[in-house]
Amino acid sequence: MSRLVLVRREQVLRGGQPLAFGIGLMVALVVGVFLLLGSGHDPLRIYERMFEASMGSPKAWSVTLNRAVPLGLAGLAVAVAGSMGLWNIGAEGQIMAGAMGAAWVARVGGDWPALMLIAAMLGAAIVGGALLALGPAVARAHIGVNEIITTLMLNEVAIRLLQWLIHGWWKDPESQNFPLASMLADNAKLPTLFERAHVGVVLAALMIAIFGVAASRTAWGYELRVAGSAGATARYAGISLERKILTVLVLSGGVAGFAGGIELSGNSDRITENLSNGFGFAGIIVAALALMRPSGVAAVAVLFGAVQIGGQSIQTLGVSSSVSTVLQALILFGAIAAGVLSRYKVELDVADAQPLRPTRRESDTTP
Amino acid sequence: MRNELTSTDTLGQPFAVELQGIWKRFPGVVANAGADLRVSAGTVHAVLGENGAGKSTLMNILAGVYRPDAGQLRIDGEIHHFRTPADALAAGIGMVHQEFRLIPSFTVADNVVLGAAERIVRRSSIESAVGELAERFGIATEPDRMVWQLSMGERQRVEILKALWRDAQILVLDEPTAVLTPGEADELAAVLRHMANDGRAVIFISHKLQEVTSFCDEATVLRGGKTVAASLSVESTDATELAGLMVGSSPAISERPPPGQVGEELLAVHKLRCMDDRGLPALDGIELTVRSGEIVGIAGVAGNGQRELAQVIAGLRSVESGTVCLTGEDRTFASPRQRFSAGLGYIPEDRLGVGLAPRLNVIDNAILRTYRDHCRGPFLDAESATAHCQDLVDRFRIQTGPLFHSIAGLSGGNLQRLLVGRELRGHPSVVVAAQPTRGLDVQGVKAIQDLLVAERDVGAAVLLISEDLDELLTLSDRLLVMHAGRIVAEFEPTTAERRTIGEAMAGHLDGACVIPEVVGP
């Protein structure tokens, strides 16, 4: 009798993660077939529609890319912290904080020239997100408070703060007493790139590229790797662990805030409670699938954007948009399970084929 | 389910453990090449061998961590195929690994019963049950203490209790004394004897002959993955013979290198005080100097401040009072990096996790101290870093795979060469080496010792902290003994008597006044 066993690889397989992601996608699509059949739909038609709506035309691509922007930036935010072994679960709130910063600048500088206003809005967005992350960063760096809990709880603070602003100070006088913020002026909106895509796509790609280069090519990135590998080694090498934790978490918040600014300026008419739309949490999945590497984040974000947009499009066929959420989750599970393959390889169990090792069953029958 | 292949011990009982013809290959290495081991119940059995002889692999096979490529495994005469450590545990095998697997924020009792408590129970009843178990085997422990508060020796006892709680009939300890002070090692020996008398089989992995001869009943010697001597009676076997079996030829008697040219004072520590991790005084007014061209050895029972002394000099532990001078300048408050630039090479006791970053590749580890020299603006120059690393690898003859692979694949000896090479490459003025040869095989020990002597000969001041008295007596030009955070005695290594040194280590010469006259240069 021989069996398949997992054998640890000497070195992690290069290109194992894209492979795992592909397998995850396949698993998700196959399981999805059964889900769709079970709810009385034609899976092929649904998948075709999803593909067309997300990648079937330049217009579809523009919508997908717009969606990939907040996903990618939130993923980058999580990945920046994750590369040092820190978990920023607060990207959702930091996106809100960033959007609030940008919205405040838009209110103050409503008559500024577009370029200046947008630059100021995005700058304020970064500061907003960074400010929300500052508390957890200081607490973690200096007194060792678990950043998972503090960043998570501040999500609630950010959303309540926004509600308070929308219900009060920022309420649009023309909203007939609905709790809505004022509309953004046209000069506060990001210019279009192509079709529906806004220039935020380029800005996000740039941001991810900068972090990618910083992480892999600079002394700063090297220090981050050392600190993430072993804190005591970092101190030995003369790297201040406290300062690294502080900068990394604040930067992470800033990146998430930047996502909020772009989402507001590029994709919305006004700031609303739904602006962050779960991007901060989806970012955790994106970063995890990208193994905390900026280069992977971009690719995963585009694919997730496509799945989300495709999922929305099939609502017109009577399918719940939850299908796309289920698919995202299935991709995650499939990819994580398949990720084992980059660290292990499947082999025939040679040991069982050896005459000296009869199987338990055979030896049981020996008198 | 007896099988005719089963052999029995002298009393006609099947062996508690019988490993036969075990083969295990890893990519690029054959760890076990037909290793055999037979252990009777009620004995303490040593598995001896140098680093890389295949001891750990064989024990991991017994504990279900690895699965053999070939060979068979019997417990009490029954063939077993362990797929997981849980299978091995169910068959009564408990393993105490070198790295403890405890949860620091749990109490001793919680750690002992973790995963093996039958239902929700009252804390006090767990604690008293664990306390009773400990008492039965003569293990000193406090079940309600948090594990993070415990010393390494105390943690090891928790690991042993974990195995006993699960009623392990076969207990495997992987180099258990490496983390213990001599006193703790004796206590461990008593506990092991207690367990053997209780009818259990104890397997004790070591490469220290002295422990084997004093703790164990039988010894099996492995070399190159094969069993070269099985179940020798320790009583009737000479230690020299065992050593010969381990290394394949009689071990070279280490010779004292000729003394170096002693020069100016390069390291001076004055009235140094500091705290340990628990906030208790660790150094209590240390005075010492090391001059160019000499090796000053620090002997002492582990836990008397040697670790803290090295850390304070390296800048990794803060000073309460006193000064540290390097090459004549006060560097008491300098950062580790400044000290390195000022000419301090530091070989820390913990190689992985302090001296080396375990998940990073060879290049990243090679430039750990000097990465700022490989920068162009904010960018790290990969070419220059690789060249530096390659130079280190060539010069110190480090056996590695591709340099961009993680150092996880390097053997202990090569890891230490990488670390020592990195620290010594720029010929530092002062070298602080803490346990630089611990856990290395004979060749590895020799290589590291030669490097330290070579540095001394080119004028470095070397402070050597070691638990190996032979090493200290061979290498040191002066030998200091630490006890309770103080230097309590100084000896001339060529004339010092071991017994007197031992008394000083035990604190019987306490009080600075009994420091014997310095035998000057």
Side-chain angles (χ1 to χ4, degrees):
Chain A
M1 188 193 88
S2 57
R3 286 171 296 111
L4 293 176
V5 291
L6 290 176
V7 179
R8 190 186 280 274
R9 291 177 193 275
E10 197 180 359
Q11 290 284 337
V12 173
L13 181 70
R14 292 192 144 215
Q17 195 58 14
L19 182 75
F21 192 87
I23 293 174
L25 193 65
M26 295 298 291
V27 168
L29 291 177
V30 170
V31 177
V33 165
F34 292 104
L35 283 178
L36 290 168
L37 280 176
S39 55
H41 297 280
D42 174 3
L44 279 183
R45 205 170 136 241
I46 302 281
Y47 283 163
E48 194 187 348
R49 170 66 74 89
M50 283 180 74
F51 179 77
E52 267 173 15
S54 59
M55 299 197 232
S57 62
K59 188 179 162 201
W61 268 106
S62 71
V63 179
T64 293
L65 286 177
N66 273 359
R67 178 57 66 96
V69 167
L71 287 172
L73 287 174
L76 179 65
V78 177
V80 167
S83 65
M84 235 194 94
L86 298 169
W87 283 101
N88 177 9
I89 311 293
E92 188 79 2
Q94 290 145 10
I95 290 174
M96 288 289 196
M100 281 188 266
W104 176 73
V105 169
R107 283 175 62 90
V108 175
D111 48 359
W112 297 354
L115 189 66
M116 181 177 143
L117 178 59
I118 288 170
M121 281 172 70
L122 294 182
I126 293 176
V127 172
L131 273 179
L132 197 67
L134 184 64
V138 171
R140 172 64 209 239
H142 294 289
I143 44 179
V145 177
N146 188 330
E147 79 286 353
I148 298 178
I149 295 172
T150 47
T151 52
L152 179 67
M153 292 195 302
L154 281 174
N155 286 333
E156 285 303 308
V157 174
I159 190 121
R160 300 285 171 249
L161 183 64
L162 180 62
Q163 283 173 349
W164 177 73
L165 285 170
I166 292 176
H167 282 262
W169 186 21
W170 285 4
K171 188 154 79 177
D172 187 354
E174 286 154 37
S175 70
Q176 295 162 350
N177 236 9
F178 279 105
L180 288 174
S182 312
M183 297 275 279
L184 287 181
D186 280 346
N187 56 347
K189 292 196 176 165
L190 282 178
T192 305
L193 189 64
F194 72 94
E195 295 285 345
R196 299 225 192 137
H198 51 70
V199 294
V201 173
V202 179
L203 296 177
L206 215 63
M207 184 76 113
I208 291 173
I210 290 171
F211 271 98
V213 170
S216 60
R217 304 270 152 124
T218 65
W220 181 80
Y222 174 76
E223 290 175 347
L224 217 61
R225 254 179 290 152
V226 174
S229 173
T233 311
R235 292 217 302 134
Y236 172 81
I239 300 164
S240 160
L241 211 53
E242 287 80 12
R243 232 172 54 201
K244 277 274 149 336
I245 292 173
L246 202 71
T247 47
V248 154
L249 275 178
V250 167
L251 274 175
S252 171
V255 170
F258 187 62
I262 288 185
E263 209 41 25
L264 176 72
S265 174
N267 250 353
S268 345
D269 294 327
R270 54 161 65 94
I271 188 165
T272 66
E273 290 173 32
N274 306 323
L275 182 125
S276 60
N277 193 19
F279 295 136
F281 296 121
I284 300 169
I285 302 178
V286 170
L289 283 175
L291 298 181
M292 305 295 166
R293 289 194 201 118
S295 52
V297 161
V300 176
V302 170
L303 262 153
F304 263 59
V307 172
Q308 286 195 355
I309 296 299
Q312 282 175 8
S313 72
I314 54 177
Q315 287 176 72
T316 53
L317 299 176
V319 184
S320 158
S321 71
S322 311
V323 166
S324 90
T325 315
V326 172
L327 284 181
Q328 286 176 53
L330 285 171
I331 293 175
L332 177 69
F333 284 133
I336 286 176
V340 171
L341 294 177
S342 46
R343 278 175 289 120
Y344 294 86
K345 55 189 167 187
V346 182
E347 274 187 1
L348 267 180
D349 189 350
V350 281
D352 275 2
Q354 294 287 334
L356 268 175
R357 280 193 71 190
T359 63
R360 195 180 291 258
R361 212 167 294 124
E362 286 162 6
S363 54
D364 279 349
T365 56
T366 316
Chain B
M1 202 182 71
R2 199 58 51 81
N3 188 307
E4 58 245 71
L5 274 167
T6 310
S7 41
T8 55
D9 65 12
T10 44
L11 300 171
Q13 296 291 316
F15 287 104
V17 175
E18 185 177 10
L19 293 163
Q20 213 182 336
I22 299 289
W23 281 80
K24 180 69 185 176
R25 292 180 192 83
F26 291 106
V29 209
V30 180
N32 288 146
D36 299 316
L37 175 69
R38 290 189 180 83
V39 181
S40 310
T43 61
V44 180
H45 193 107
V47 175
L48 263 170
E50 294 227 67
N51 285 326
K55 305 178 299 255
S56 289
T57 305
L58 193 63
M59 291 308 116
N60 277 319
I61 285 171
L62 177 59
V65 178
Y66 297 142
R67 306 197 312 154
D69 298 338
Q72 69 178 13
L73 188 161
R74 288 162 195 270
I75 306 298
D76 293 329
E78 264 179 59
I79 292 181
H80 281 266
H81 305 279
F82 299 142
R83 284 165 197 278
T84 62
D87 291 348
L89 200 57
I93 296 168
M95 179 140 180
V96 177
H97 293 271
Q98 278 187 60
E99 298 84 27
F100 301 146
R101 286 132 201 233
L102 299 171
I103 301 175
S105 57
F106 277 20
T107 63
V108 170
D110 287 343
N111 268 288
V112 169
V113 304
L114 187 68
E118 279 171 13
R119 56 186 187 279
I120 299 169
V121 276
R122 285 216 322 278
R123 177 172 295 272
S124 58
S125 69
I126 296 178
E127 281 170 7
S128 62
V130 169
E132 272 167 36
L133 181 73
E135 205 170 317
R136 189 149 74 82
F137 287 93
I139 300 173
T141 188
E142 294 163 70
D144 57 342
R145 278 188 64 194
M146 296 288 177
V147 163
W148 60 265
Q149 298 173 312
L150 304 181
S151 73
M152 291 309 254
E154 291 170 317
R155 286 179 201 203
Q156 186 177 63
R157 283 176 228 148
V158 180
E159 284 282 4
I160 294 172
L161 279 172
K162 263 168 75 176
L164 290 173
W165 183 263
R166 287 156 181 77
D167 201 28
Q169 292 300 314
I170 297 153
L171 193 79
V172 183
L173 299 105
D174 194 357
E175 303 203 12
T177 53
V179 295
L180 300 185
T181 62
E184 284 177 325
D186 291 342
E187 282 172 40
L188 174 68
V191 170
L192 298 187
R193 181 54 55 200
H194 214 117
M195 289 193 292
N197 291 344
D198 196 51
R200 291 165 210 255
V202 178
I203 302 177
F204 182 92
I205 305 177
S206 182
H207 49 211
K208 293 187 194 161
L209 288 170
Q210 179 260 326
E211 286 169 8
V212 170
T213 48
S214 59
F215 291 11
C216 304
D217 305 309
E218 289 185 324
T220 292
V221 184
L222 294 184
R223 191 169 76 228
K226 292 190 186 70
T227 301
V228 291
S231 306
L232 297 170
S233 159
V234 169
E235 249 174 43
S236 57
T237 312
D238 186 41
T240 328
E241 192 182 328
L242 284 175
L245 287 166
M246 270 167 74
V247 295
S249 58
S250 57
I253 302 150
S254 42
E255 269 176 43
R256 255 187 90 74
Q261 194 69 42
V262 177
E264 58 183 322
E265 205 173 274
L266 292 179
L267 171 68
V269 168
H270 181 57
K271 286 191 178 164
L272 198 63
R273 286 169 200 278
C274 82
M275 298 295 178
D276 68 8
D277 293 338
R278 294 167 298 172
L280 302 171
L283 296 185
D284 184 16
I286 293 276
E287 294 279 348
L288 72 89
T289 58
V290 186
R291 289 162 300 178
S292 166
E294 70 172 350
I295 296 180
V296 172
I298 300 263
V301 176
N304 276 287
Q306 300 96 311
R307 191 169 156 264
E308 287 80 5
L309 176 64
Q311 289 173 338
V312 167
I313 296 173
L316 293 175
R317 181 175 290 275
S318 54
V319 174
E320 292 289 310
S321 65
T323 55
V324 175
C325 293
L326 296 173
T327 60
E329 281 172 56
D330 187 344
R331 299 276 180 186
T332 314
F333 299 103
S335 71
R337 187 184 283 153
Q338 286 166 337
R339 288 175 209 233
F340 182 78
S341 316
L344 173 72
Y346 173 46
I347 299 155
E349 186 173 348
D350 308 297
R351 284 158 214 165
L352 283 176
V354 178
L356 299 165
R359 286 202 300 273
L360 301 190
N361 65 30
V362 184
I363 300 171
D364 283 349
N365 273 292
I367 61 170
L368 195 66
R369 291 288 219 162
T370 50
Y371 66 92
R372 300 231 158 161
D373 302 339
H374 301 287
C375 283
R376 272 190 310 203
F379 293 98
L380 208 58
D381 183 350
E383 247 173 63
S384 128
T386 311
H388 174 90
C389 178
Q390 189 62 53
D391 176 59
L392 206 61
V393 164
D394 295 342
R395 202 177 319 171
F396 293 92
R397 276 176 260 119
I398 304 161
Q399 285 158 7
T400 71
L403 299 183
F404 56 84
H405 277 188
S406 139
I407 60 164
L410 266 58
S411 73
N414 283 308
L415 284 175
Q416 187 68 343
R417 274 174 210 240
L418 176 63
L419 170 56
V420 171
R422 186 187 71 208
E423 295 301 310
L424 300 186
R425 185 178 179 273
H427 297 301
S429 322
V430 179
V431 177
V432 175
Q435 319 294 351
T437 61
R438 181 152 79 187
L440 301 186
D441 61 20
V442 167
Q443 275 93 21
V445 169
K446 184 87 175 66
I448 301 296
Q449 290 179 343
D450 286 350
L451 285 172
L452 290 174
V453 171
E455 280 310 303
R456 180 201 69 179
D457 290 343
V458 296
V462 180
L463 185 70
L464 173 65
I465 298 172
S466 177
E467 277 159 25
D468 185 340
L469 196 54
D470 291 317
E471 172 170 277
L472 289 170
L473 288 172
T474 312
L475 297 184
S476 309
D477 298 304
R478 287 190 288 138
L479 179 63
L480 307 179
V481 176
M482 268 185 90
H483 177 73
R486 291 152 80 179
I487 307 285
V488 292
E490 175 164 344
F491 294 96
E492 163 62 39
T494 48
T495 57
E497 266 185 67
R498 283 170 163 270
R499 196 179 54 82
T500 330
I501 299 174
E503 280 175 7
M505 285 168 70
H508 295 300
L509 294 180
D510 206 355
C513 52
V514 270
I515 290 185
E517 204 60 42
V518 181
V519 185

